[in-house]
mmCIF file of all heavy atoms in Angstrom:
data_model
loop_
_atom_site.group_PDB
_atom_site.id
_atom_site.type_symbol
_atom_site.label_atom_id
_atom_site.label_comp_id
_atom_site.label_asym_id
_atom_site.label_seq_id
_atom_site.Cartn_x
_atom_site.Cartn_y
_atom_site.Cartn_z
ATOM 1 N N LEU A 4 -52.189 -69.373 41.495
ATOM 2 C CA LEU A 4 -50.945 -70.059 41.791
ATOM 3 C C LEU A 4 -51.132 -70.827 43.084
ATOM 4 O O LEU A 4 -51.534 -70.250 44.089
ATOM 5 C CB LEU A 4 -49.798 -69.062 41.932
ATOM 6 C CG LEU A 4 -49.303 -68.406 40.641
ATOM 7 C CD1 LEU A 4 -48.373 -67.257 40.951
ATOM 8 C CD2 LEU A 4 -48.631 -69.418 39.752
ATOM 9 N N GLU A 5 -50.860 -72.120 43.042
ATOM 10 C CA GLU A 5 -51.000 -72.960 44.220
ATOM 11 C C GLU A 5 -49.617 -73.410 44.683
ATOM 12 O O GLU A 5 -48.855 -73.979 43.895
ATOM 13 C CB GLU A 5 -51.871 -74.169 43.915
ATOM 14 C CG GLU A 5 -53.305 -73.796 43.579
ATOM 15 C CD GLU A 5 -54.190 -75.012 43.354
ATOM 16 O OE1 GLU A 5 -53.685 -76.135 43.490
ATOM 17 O OE2 GLU A 5 -55.376 -74.825 43.042
ATOM 18 N N GLN A 6 -49.342 -73.134 45.945
ATOM 19 C CA GLN A 6 -48.056 -73.514 46.512
ATOM 20 C C GLN A 6 -48.218 -74.683 47.458
ATOM 21 O O GLN A 6 -49.213 -74.799 48.165
ATOM 22 C CB GLN A 6 -47.455 -72.347 47.304
ATOM 23 C CG GLN A 6 -46.630 -71.403 46.480
ATOM 24 C CD GLN A 6 -45.956 -70.350 47.324
ATOM 25 O OE1 GLN A 6 -46.330 -69.189 47.295
ATOM 26 N NE2 GLN A 6 -44.939 -70.766 48.082
ATOM 27 N N SER A 7 -47.207 -75.526 47.479
ATOM 28 C CA SER A 7 -47.197 -76.628 48.438
ATOM 29 C C SER A 7 -45.752 -76.937 48.819
ATOM 30 O O SER A 7 -44.834 -76.756 48.011
ATOM 31 C CB SER A 7 -47.867 -77.867 47.828
ATOM 32 O OG SER A 7 -47.156 -78.300 46.687
ATOM 33 N N PRO A 8 -45.519 -77.381 50.055
ATOM 34 C CA PRO A 8 -46.506 -77.410 51.134
ATOM 35 C C PRO A 8 -46.745 -76.010 51.698
ATOM 36 O O PRO A 8 -46.013 -75.082 51.370
ATOM 37 C CB PRO A 8 -45.831 -78.311 52.169
ATOM 38 C CG PRO A 8 -44.373 -78.026 51.983
ATOM 39 C CD PRO A 8 -44.188 -77.812 50.499
ATOM 40 N N GLN A 9 -47.749 -75.863 52.521
ATOM 41 C CA GLN A 9 -48.011 -74.572 53.158
ATOM 42 C C GLN A 9 -47.072 -74.341 54.335
ATOM 43 O O GLN A 9 -46.712 -73.205 54.616
ATOM 44 C CB GLN A 9 -49.459 -74.508 53.642
ATOM 45 C CG GLN A 9 -50.463 -74.307 52.517
ATOM 46 C CD GLN A 9 -51.831 -73.949 53.043
ATOM 47 O OE1 GLN A 9 -52.262 -74.459 54.078
ATOM 48 N NE2 GLN A 9 -52.518 -73.065 52.354
ATOM 49 N N PHE A 10 -46.725 -75.411 55.045
ATOM 50 C CA PHE A 10 -45.836 -75.302 56.195
ATOM 51 C C PHE A 10 -44.768 -76.386 56.115
ATOM 52 O O PHE A 10 -45.037 -77.495 55.667
ATOM 53 C CB PHE A 10 -46.608 -75.443 57.513
ATOM 54 C CG PHE A 10 -47.697 -74.435 57.692
ATOM 55 C CD1 PHE A 10 -49.008 -74.746 57.376
ATOM 56 C CD2 PHE A 10 -47.411 -73.168 58.174
ATOM 57 C CE1 PHE A 10 -50.018 -73.805 57.538
ATOM 58 C CE2 PHE A 10 -48.417 -72.228 58.336
ATOM 59 C CZ PHE A 10 -49.724 -72.545 58.016
ATOM 60 N N LEU A 11 -43.593 -76.032 56.549
ATOM 61 C CA LEU A 11 -42.483 -76.965 56.524
ATOM 62 C C LEU A 11 -41.581 -76.659 57.707
ATOM 63 O O LEU A 11 -41.107 -75.529 57.864
ATOM 64 C CB LEU A 11 -41.712 -76.786 55.216
ATOM 65 C CG LEU A 11 -40.891 -77.930 54.644
ATOM 66 C CD1 LEU A 11 -41.672 -79.230 54.608
ATOM 67 C CD2 LEU A 11 -40.416 -77.568 53.239
ATOM 68 N N SER A 12 -41.369 -77.684 58.553
ATOM 69 C CA SER A 12 -40.473 -77.515 59.696
ATOM 70 C C SER A 12 -39.415 -78.605 59.605
ATOM 71 O O SER A 12 -39.743 -79.790 59.639
ATOM 72 C CB SER A 12 -41.256 -77.630 61.010
ATOM 73 O OG SER A 12 -40.382 -77.447 62.111
ATOM 74 N N ILE A 13 -38.169 -78.214 59.450
ATOM 75 C CA ILE A 13 -37.096 -79.182 59.236
ATOM 76 C C ILE A 13 -35.900 -78.849 60.113
ATOM 77 O O ILE A 13 -35.810 -77.760 60.699
ATOM 78 C CB ILE A 13 -36.653 -79.215 57.761
ATOM 79 C CG1 ILE A 13 -36.114 -77.839 57.337
ATOM 80 C CG2 ILE A 13 -37.780 -79.648 56.850
ATOM 81 C CD1 ILE A 13 -35.493 -77.828 55.955
ATOM 82 N N GLN A 14 -34.984 -79.790 60.172
ATOM 83 C CA GLN A 14 -33.751 -79.585 60.925
ATOM 84 C C GLN A 14 -32.682 -78.981 60.011
ATOM 85 O O GLN A 14 -32.678 -79.199 58.789
ATOM 86 C CB GLN A 14 -33.242 -80.914 61.490
ATOM 87 C CG GLN A 14 -34.108 -81.537 62.560
ATOM 88 C CD GLN A 14 -34.142 -80.699 63.833
ATOM 89 O OE1 GLN A 14 -35.205 -80.474 64.402
ATOM 90 N NE2 GLN A 14 -32.971 -80.226 64.269
ATOM 91 N N GLU A 15 -31.817 -78.237 60.618
ATOM 92 C CA GLU A 15 -30.684 -77.667 59.895
ATOM 93 C C GLU A 15 -29.939 -78.776 59.156
ATOM 94 O O GLU A 15 -29.731 -79.872 59.696
ATOM 95 C CB GLU A 15 -29.749 -76.976 60.889
ATOM 96 C CG GLU A 15 -28.546 -76.310 60.263
ATOM 97 C CD GLU A 15 -27.702 -75.558 61.294
ATOM 98 O OE1 GLU A 15 -28.044 -75.591 62.494
ATOM 99 O OE2 GLU A 15 -26.700 -74.941 60.887
ATOM 100 N N GLY A 16 -29.570 -78.499 57.905
ATOM 101 C CA GLY A 16 -28.831 -79.469 57.112
ATOM 102 C C GLY A 16 -29.687 -80.296 56.156
ATOM 103 O O GLY A 16 -29.153 -80.933 55.237
ATOM 104 N N GLU A 17 -30.991 -80.300 56.371
ATOM 105 C CA GLU A 17 -31.883 -81.061 55.489
ATOM 106 C C GLU A 17 -32.118 -80.310 54.182
ATOM 107 O O GLU A 17 -31.926 -79.095 54.095
ATOM 108 C CB GLU A 17 -33.219 -81.346 56.190
ATOM 109 C CG GLU A 17 -33.105 -82.299 57.364
ATOM 110 C CD GLU A 17 -34.460 -82.619 57.976
ATOM 111 O OE1 GLU A 17 -35.496 -82.295 57.358
ATOM 112 O OE2 GLU A 17 -34.504 -83.202 59.075
ATOM 113 N N ASN A 18 -32.564 -81.053 53.187
ATOM 114 C CA ASN A 18 -32.938 -80.465 51.899
ATOM 115 C C ASN A 18 -34.462 -80.354 51.826
ATOM 116 O O ASN A 18 -35.180 -81.107 52.503
ATOM 117 C CB ASN A 18 -32.459 -81.327 50.735
ATOM 118 C CG ASN A 18 -30.948 -81.524 50.757
ATOM 119 O OD1 ASN A 18 -30.213 -80.666 51.248
ATOM 120 N ND2 ASN A 18 -30.503 -82.646 50.233
ATOM 121 N N LEU A 19 -34.957 -79.440 51.010
ATOM 122 C CA LEU A 19 -36.391 -79.287 50.860
ATOM 123 C C LEU A 19 -36.719 -78.731 49.481
ATOM 124 O O LEU A 19 -35.878 -78.099 48.836
ATOM 125 C CB LEU A 19 -36.958 -78.339 51.929
ATOM 126 C CG LEU A 19 -36.493 -76.895 51.815
ATOM 127 C CD1 LEU A 19 -37.656 -75.977 51.480
ATOM 128 C CD2 LEU A 19 -35.782 -76.467 53.084
ATOM 129 N N THR A 20 -37.964 -78.981 49.071
ATOM 130 C CA THR A 20 -38.452 -78.438 47.797
ATOM 131 C C THR A 20 -39.836 -77.852 47.999
ATOM 132 O O THR A 20 -40.686 -78.467 48.638
ATOM 133 C CB THR A 20 -38.508 -79.518 46.705
ATOM 134 O OG1 THR A 20 -37.202 -80.078 46.541
ATOM 135 C CG2 THR A 20 -38.962 -78.920 45.383
ATOM 136 N N VAL A 21 -40.035 -76.678 47.467
ATOM 137 C CA VAL A 21 -41.335 -76.001 47.493
ATOM 138 C C VAL A 21 -41.835 -75.908 46.063
ATOM 139 O O VAL A 21 -41.069 -75.614 45.141
ATOM 140 C CB VAL A 21 -41.213 -74.594 48.106
ATOM 141 C CG1 VAL A 21 -42.541 -73.862 48.065
ATOM 142 C CG2 VAL A 21 -40.683 -74.670 49.531
ATOM 143 N N TYR A 22 -43.131 -76.163 45.878
ATOM 144 C CA TYR A 22 -43.707 -76.201 44.542
ATOM 145 C C TYR A 22 -44.719 -75.076 44.344
ATOM 146 O O TYR A 22 -45.433 -74.683 45.276
ATOM 147 C CB TYR A 22 -44.384 -77.545 44.308
ATOM 148 C CG TYR A 22 -43.436 -78.708 44.400
ATOM 149 C CD1 TYR A 22 -43.278 -79.393 45.608
ATOM 150 C CD2 TYR A 22 -42.682 -79.113 43.304
ATOM 151 C CE1 TYR A 22 -42.382 -80.453 45.708
ATOM 152 C CE2 TYR A 22 -41.799 -80.169 43.394
ATOM 153 C CZ TYR A 22 -41.651 -80.838 44.597
ATOM 154 O OH TYR A 22 -40.766 -81.886 44.693
ATOM 155 N N CYS A 23 -44.781 -74.599 43.118
ATOM 156 C CA CYS A 23 -45.715 -73.547 42.733
ATOM 157 C C CYS A 23 -46.341 -73.972 41.416
ATOM 158 O O CYS A 23 -45.630 -74.124 40.417
ATOM 159 C CB CYS A 23 -44.958 -72.223 42.591
ATOM 160 S SG CYS A 23 -45.942 -70.826 42.027
ATOM 161 N N ASN A 24 -47.654 -74.222 41.429
ATOM 162 C CA ASN A 24 -48.314 -74.774 40.250
ATOM 163 C C ASN A 24 -49.493 -73.930 39.811
ATOM 164 O O ASN A 24 -50.183 -73.322 40.622
ATOM 165 C CB ASN A 24 -48.813 -76.197 40.554
ATOM 166 C CG ASN A 24 -47.684 -77.148 40.817
ATOM 167 O OD1 ASN A 24 -46.859 -77.419 39.960
ATOM 168 N ND2 ASN A 24 -47.621 -77.658 42.036
ATOM 169 N N SER A 25 -49.734 -73.949 38.511
ATOM 170 C CA SER A 25 -50.870 -73.241 37.947
ATOM 171 C C SER A 25 -51.395 -74.008 36.744
ATOM 172 O O SER A 25 -50.663 -74.778 36.118
ATOM 173 C CB SER A 25 -50.461 -71.829 37.528
ATOM 174 O OG SER A 25 -51.526 -71.178 36.877
ATOM 175 N N SER A 26 -52.648 -73.799 36.426
ATOM 176 C CA SER A 26 -53.207 -74.382 35.213
ATOM 177 C C SER A 26 -53.016 -73.435 34.037
ATOM 178 O O SER A 26 -53.328 -73.786 32.888
ATOM 179 C CB SER A 26 -54.696 -74.681 35.410
ATOM 180 O OG SER A 26 -55.381 -73.494 35.755
ATOM 181 N N SER A 27 -52.487 -72.246 34.317
ATOM 182 C CA SER A 27 -52.299 -71.229 33.281
ATOM 183 C C SER A 27 -50.817 -71.035 32.990
ATOM 184 O O SER A 27 -49.964 -71.312 33.824
ATOM 185 C CB SER A 27 -52.895 -69.898 33.734
ATOM 186 O OG SER A 27 -54.252 -70.029 34.062
ATOM 187 N N VAL A 28 -50.560 -70.537 31.802
ATOM 188 C CA VAL A 28 -49.187 -70.234 31.401
ATOM 189 C C VAL A 28 -48.817 -68.831 31.868
ATOM 190 O O VAL A 28 -49.609 -67.898 31.738
ATOM 191 C CB VAL A 28 -49.035 -70.328 29.871
ATOM 192 C CG1 VAL A 28 -47.644 -69.876 29.431
ATOM 193 C CG2 VAL A 28 -49.310 -71.756 29.400
ATOM 194 N N PHE A 29 -47.628 -68.712 32.395
ATOM 195 C CA PHE A 29 -47.124 -67.403 32.815
ATOM 196 C C PHE A 29 -45.892 -67.040 31.988
ATOM 197 O O PHE A 29 -45.070 -67.893 31.682
ATOM 198 C CB PHE A 29 -46.747 -67.408 34.299
ATOM 199 C CG PHE A 29 -47.925 -67.311 35.215
ATOM 200 C CD1 PHE A 29 -48.634 -68.444 35.586
ATOM 201 C CD2 PHE A 29 -48.340 -66.081 35.702
ATOM 202 C CE1 PHE A 29 -49.724 -68.355 36.424
ATOM 203 C CE2 PHE A 29 -49.432 -65.982 36.550
ATOM 204 C CZ PHE A 29 -50.129 -67.121 36.908
ATOM 205 N N SER A 30 -45.774 -65.773 31.659
ATOM 206 C CA SER A 30 -44.580 -65.315 30.950
ATOM 207 C C SER A 30 -43.353 -65.422 31.831
ATOM 208 O O SER A 30 -42.240 -65.623 31.344
ATOM 209 C CB SER A 30 -44.754 -63.862 30.506
ATOM 210 O OG SER A 30 -45.837 -63.752 29.630
ATOM 211 N N SER A 31 -43.544 -65.255 33.102
ATOM 212 C CA SER A 31 -42.442 -65.378 34.056
ATOM 213 C C SER A 31 -43.020 -65.660 35.434
ATOM 214 O O SER A 31 -44.197 -65.370 35.683
ATOM 215 C CB SER A 31 -41.605 -64.084 34.103
ATOM 216 O OG SER A 31 -42.374 -63.010 34.597
ATOM 217 N N LEU A 32 -42.215 -66.221 36.289
ATOM 218 C CA LEU A 32 -42.610 -66.422 37.680
ATOM 219 C C LEU A 32 -41.491 -65.887 38.566
ATOM 220 O O LEU A 32 -40.309 -65.945 38.200
ATOM 221 C CB LEU A 32 -42.864 -67.900 37.991
ATOM 222 C CG LEU A 32 -44.190 -68.498 37.519
ATOM 223 C CD1 LEU A 32 -44.279 -69.973 37.856
ATOM 224 C CD2 LEU A 32 -45.372 -67.744 38.139
ATOM 225 N N GLN A 33 -41.887 -65.371 39.692
ATOM 226 C CA GLN A 33 -40.922 -64.819 40.624
ATOM 227 C C GLN A 33 -41.033 -65.534 41.961
ATOM 228 O O GLN A 33 -42.102 -66.024 42.325
ATOM 229 C CB GLN A 33 -41.168 -63.320 40.818
ATOM 230 C CG GLN A 33 -41.075 -62.527 39.524
ATOM 231 C CD GLN A 33 -41.412 -61.069 39.703
ATOM 232 O OE1 GLN A 33 -42.022 -60.670 40.690
ATOM 233 N NE2 GLN A 33 -41.001 -60.253 38.753
ATOM 234 N N TRP A 34 -39.930 -65.584 42.673
ATOM 235 C CA TRP A 34 -39.916 -66.113 44.036
ATOM 236 C C TRP A 34 -39.450 -65.017 44.976
ATOM 237 O O TRP A 34 -38.462 -64.311 44.702
ATOM 238 C CB TRP A 34 -38.978 -67.319 44.148
ATOM 239 C CG TRP A 34 -39.522 -68.567 43.535
ATOM 240 C CD1 TRP A 34 -39.340 -69.009 42.263
ATOM 241 C CD2 TRP A 34 -40.346 -69.547 44.181
ATOM 242 N NE1 TRP A 34 -39.996 -70.191 42.064
ATOM 243 C CE2 TRP A 34 -40.616 -70.550 43.225
ATOM 244 C CE3 TRP A 34 -40.878 -69.678 45.465
ATOM 245 C CZ2 TRP A 34 -41.400 -71.667 43.518
ATOM 246 C CZ3 TRP A 34 -41.650 -70.783 45.763
ATOM 247 C CH2 TRP A 34 -41.904 -71.770 44.794
ATOM 248 N N TYR A 35 -40.201 -64.878 46.071
ATOM 249 C CA TYR A 35 -39.889 -63.895 47.099
ATOM 250 C C TYR A 35 -39.715 -64.606 48.435
ATOM 251 O O TYR A 35 -40.273 -65.678 48.668
ATOM 252 C CB TYR A 35 -41.033 -62.890 47.258
ATOM 253 C CG TYR A 35 -41.232 -61.929 46.106
ATOM 254 C CD1 TYR A 35 -41.927 -62.312 44.971
ATOM 255 C CD2 TYR A 35 -40.752 -60.625 46.176
ATOM 256 C CE1 TYR A 35 -42.127 -61.432 43.922
ATOM 257 C CE2 TYR A 35 -40.953 -59.728 45.139
ATOM 258 C CZ TYR A 35 -41.645 -60.143 44.020
ATOM 259 O OH TYR A 35 -41.842 -59.265 42.981
ATOM 260 N N ARG A 36 -38.980 -63.958 49.316
ATOM 261 C CA ARG A 36 -38.925 -64.387 50.716
ATOM 262 C C ARG A 36 -39.330 -63.208 51.583
ATOM 263 O O ARG A 36 -38.880 -62.067 51.355
ATOM 264 C CB ARG A 36 -37.542 -64.863 51.128
ATOM 265 C CG ARG A 36 -37.516 -65.409 52.561
ATOM 266 C CD ARG A 36 -36.210 -66.075 52.882
ATOM 267 N NE ARG A 36 -35.159 -65.112 53.120
ATOM 268 C CZ ARG A 36 -33.881 -65.434 53.187
ATOM 269 N NH1 ARG A 36 -33.502 -66.682 52.990
ATOM 270 N NH2 ARG A 36 -32.981 -64.515 53.424
ATOM 271 N N GLN A 37 -40.181 -63.504 52.561
ATOM 272 C CA GLN A 37 -40.655 -62.466 53.456
ATOM 273 C C GLN A 37 -40.362 -62.879 54.895
ATOM 274 O O GLN A 37 -40.671 -63.991 55.314
ATOM 275 C CB GLN A 37 -42.166 -62.239 53.278
ATOM 276 C CG GLN A 37 -42.725 -61.106 54.109
ATOM 277 C CD GLN A 37 -44.223 -60.895 53.858
ATOM 278 O OE1 GLN A 37 -44.904 -61.771 53.358
ATOM 279 N NE2 GLN A 37 -44.723 -59.724 54.199
ATOM 280 N N GLU A 38 -39.758 -61.963 55.625
ATOM 281 C CA GLU A 38 -39.475 -62.201 57.037
ATOM 282 C C GLU A 38 -40.437 -61.370 57.872
ATOM 283 O O GLU A 38 -40.977 -60.359 57.396
ATOM 284 C CB GLU A 38 -38.016 -61.876 57.326
ATOM 285 C CG GLU A 38 -37.069 -62.760 56.523
ATOM 286 C CD GLU A 38 -35.618 -62.577 56.901
ATOM 287 O OE1 GLU A 38 -35.350 -62.217 58.066
ATOM 288 O OE2 GLU A 38 -34.760 -62.786 56.039
ATOM 289 N N PRO A 39 -40.680 -61.784 59.105
ATOM 290 C CA PRO A 39 -41.651 -61.074 59.957
ATOM 291 C C PRO A 39 -41.342 -59.583 60.053
ATOM 292 O O PRO A 39 -40.192 -59.186 60.247
ATOM 293 C CB PRO A 39 -41.484 -61.778 61.311
ATOM 294 C CG PRO A 39 -41.001 -63.147 60.972
ATOM 295 C CD PRO A 39 -40.112 -62.967 59.781
ATOM 296 N N GLY A 40 -42.384 -58.773 59.889
ATOM 297 C CA GLY A 40 -42.218 -57.331 60.019
ATOM 298 C C GLY A 40 -41.641 -56.649 58.797
ATOM 299 O O GLY A 40 -41.380 -55.439 58.828
ATOM 300 N N GLU A 41 -41.458 -57.410 57.735
ATOM 301 C CA GLU A 41 -40.876 -56.827 56.522
ATOM 302 C C GLU A 41 -41.715 -57.179 55.302
ATOM 303 O O GLU A 41 -42.542 -58.084 55.333
ATOM 304 C CB GLU A 41 -39.442 -57.326 56.326
ATOM 305 C CG GLU A 41 -38.507 -56.945 57.460
ATOM 306 C CD GLU A 41 -37.098 -57.458 57.225
ATOM 307 O OE1 GLU A 41 -36.803 -57.929 56.105
ATOM 308 O OE2 GLU A 41 -36.301 -57.383 58.180
ATOM 309 N N GLY A 42 -41.481 -56.449 54.222
ATOM 310 C CA GLY A 42 -42.136 -56.793 52.966
ATOM 311 C C GLY A 42 -41.371 -57.890 52.248
ATOM 312 O O GLY A 42 -40.228 -58.187 52.588
ATOM 313 N N PRO A 43 -41.999 -58.510 51.253
ATOM 314 C CA PRO A 43 -41.321 -59.557 50.473
ATOM 315 C C PRO A 43 -40.102 -58.995 49.742
ATOM 316 O O PRO A 43 -40.124 -57.854 49.274
ATOM 317 C CB PRO A 43 -42.392 -60.010 49.479
ATOM 318 C CG PRO A 43 -43.690 -59.568 50.071
ATOM 319 C CD PRO A 43 -43.387 -58.320 50.812
ATOM 320 N N VAL A 44 -39.076 -59.826 49.629
ATOM 321 C CA VAL A 44 -37.860 -59.456 48.911
ATOM 322 C C VAL A 44 -37.676 -60.434 47.760
ATOM 323 O O VAL A 44 -37.730 -61.656 47.965
ATOM 324 C CB VAL A 44 -36.623 -59.491 49.833
ATOM 325 C CG1 VAL A 44 -35.355 -59.232 49.030
ATOM 326 C CG2 VAL A 44 -36.758 -58.459 50.948
ATOM 327 N N LEU A 45 -37.491 -59.893 46.569
ATOM 328 C CA LEU A 45 -37.350 -60.736 45.390
ATOM 329 C C LEU A 45 -36.071 -61.570 45.453
ATOM 330 O O LEU A 45 -34.984 -61.041 45.706
ATOM 331 C CB LEU A 45 -37.319 -59.867 44.126
ATOM 332 C CG LEU A 45 -37.179 -60.620 42.798
ATOM 333 C CD1 LEU A 45 -38.428 -61.454 42.529
ATOM 334 C CD2 LEU A 45 -36.930 -59.649 41.649
ATOM 335 N N LEU A 46 -36.227 -62.877 45.225
ATOM 336 C CA LEU A 46 -35.060 -63.778 45.165
ATOM 337 C C LEU A 46 -34.639 -63.991 43.723
ATOM 338 O O LEU A 46 -33.450 -63.919 43.401
ATOM 339 C CB LEU A 46 -35.409 -65.130 45.803
ATOM 340 C CG LEU A 46 -35.716 -65.127 47.299
ATOM 341 C CD1 LEU A 46 -36.210 -66.499 47.731
ATOM 342 C CD2 LEU A 46 -34.497 -64.706 48.100
ATOM 343 N N VAL A 47 -35.615 -64.294 42.859
ATOM 344 C CA VAL A 47 -35.271 -64.618 41.480
ATOM 345 C C VAL A 47 -36.501 -64.465 40.591
ATOM 346 O O VAL A 47 -37.633 -64.543 41.066
ATOM 347 C CB VAL A 47 -34.745 -66.079 41.389
ATOM 348 C CG1 VAL A 47 -35.896 -67.068 41.447
ATOM 349 C CG2 VAL A 47 -33.916 -66.304 40.153
ATOM 350 N N THR A 48 -36.248 -64.233 39.306
ATOM 351 C CA THR A 48 -37.289 -64.271 38.278
ATOM 352 C C THR A 48 -36.882 -65.306 37.236
ATOM 353 O O THR A 48 -35.745 -65.281 36.756
ATOM 354 C CB THR A 48 -37.447 -62.902 37.588
ATOM 355 O OG1 THR A 48 -37.800 -61.916 38.554
ATOM 356 C CG2 THR A 48 -38.542 -62.962 36.524
ATOM 357 N N VAL A 49 -37.788 -66.231 36.934
ATOM 358 C CA VAL A 49 -37.528 -67.206 35.868
ATOM 359 C C VAL A 49 -38.431 -66.876 34.697
ATOM 360 O O VAL A 49 -39.617 -66.585 34.882
ATOM 361 C CB VAL A 49 -37.723 -68.659 36.341
ATOM 362 C CG1 VAL A 49 -36.554 -69.081 37.219
ATOM 363 C CG2 VAL A 49 -39.034 -68.836 37.107
ATOM 364 N N VAL A 50 -37.861 -66.917 33.519
ATOM 365 C CA VAL A 50 -38.564 -66.421 32.333
ATOM 366 C C VAL A 50 -38.724 -67.490 31.253
ATOM 367 O O VAL A 50 -39.761 -67.565 30.598
ATOM 368 C CB VAL A 50 -37.812 -65.202 31.754
ATOM 369 C CG1 VAL A 50 -38.507 -64.684 30.509
ATOM 370 C CG2 VAL A 50 -37.691 -64.106 32.781
ATOM 371 N N THR A 51 -37.710 -68.306 31.076
ATOM 372 C CA THR A 51 -37.717 -69.269 29.968
ATOM 373 C C THR A 51 -38.142 -70.639 30.469
ATOM 374 O O THR A 51 -37.647 -71.113 31.496
ATOM 375 C CB THR A 51 -36.315 -69.358 29.349
ATOM 376 O OG1 THR A 51 -35.875 -68.050 28.978
ATOM 377 C CG2 THR A 51 -36.332 -70.266 28.126
ATOM 378 N N GLY A 52 -39.035 -71.310 29.725
ATOM 379 C CA GLY A 52 -39.446 -72.656 30.090
ATOM 380 C C GLY A 52 -38.242 -73.574 30.226
ATOM 381 O O GLY A 52 -37.380 -73.580 29.356
ATOM 382 N N GLY A 53 -38.187 -74.329 31.330
ATOM 383 C CA GLY A 53 -37.065 -75.229 31.567
ATOM 384 C C GLY A 53 -35.871 -74.569 32.229
ATOM 385 O O GLY A 53 -34.887 -75.243 32.547
ATOM 386 N N GLU A 54 -35.961 -73.271 32.425
ATOM 387 C CA GLU A 54 -34.832 -72.529 32.996
ATOM 388 C C GLU A 54 -34.530 -72.958 34.426
ATOM 389 O O GLU A 54 -35.440 -73.246 35.198
ATOM 390 C CB GLU A 54 -35.165 -71.033 32.965
ATOM 391 C CG GLU A 54 -34.082 -70.127 33.499
ATOM 392 C CD GLU A 54 -34.474 -68.652 33.382
ATOM 393 O OE1 GLU A 54 -35.637 -68.353 33.042
ATOM 394 O OE2 GLU A 54 -33.599 -67.801 33.640
#
Side-chain angles (χ1 to χ4, degrees):
Chain A
L4 288 169
E5 295 183 2
Q6 272 185 252
S7 62
Q9 285 192 323
F10 302 97
L11 205 48
S12 181
I13 61 173
Q14 293 294 134
E15 181 176 2
E17 292 183 12
N18 302 331
L19 66 115
T20 302
V21 177
Y22 299 94
C23 177
N24 295 297
S25 175
S26 58
S27 303
V28 174
F29 282 85
S30 299
S31 65
L32 282 178
Q33 301 176 342
W34 286 92
Y35 290 81
R36 184 171 76 192
Q37 184 178 19
E38 299 187 28
E41 299 180 11
V44 175
L45 180 67
L46 295 173
V47 77
T48 300
V49 285
V50 179
T51 306
E54 181 178 9

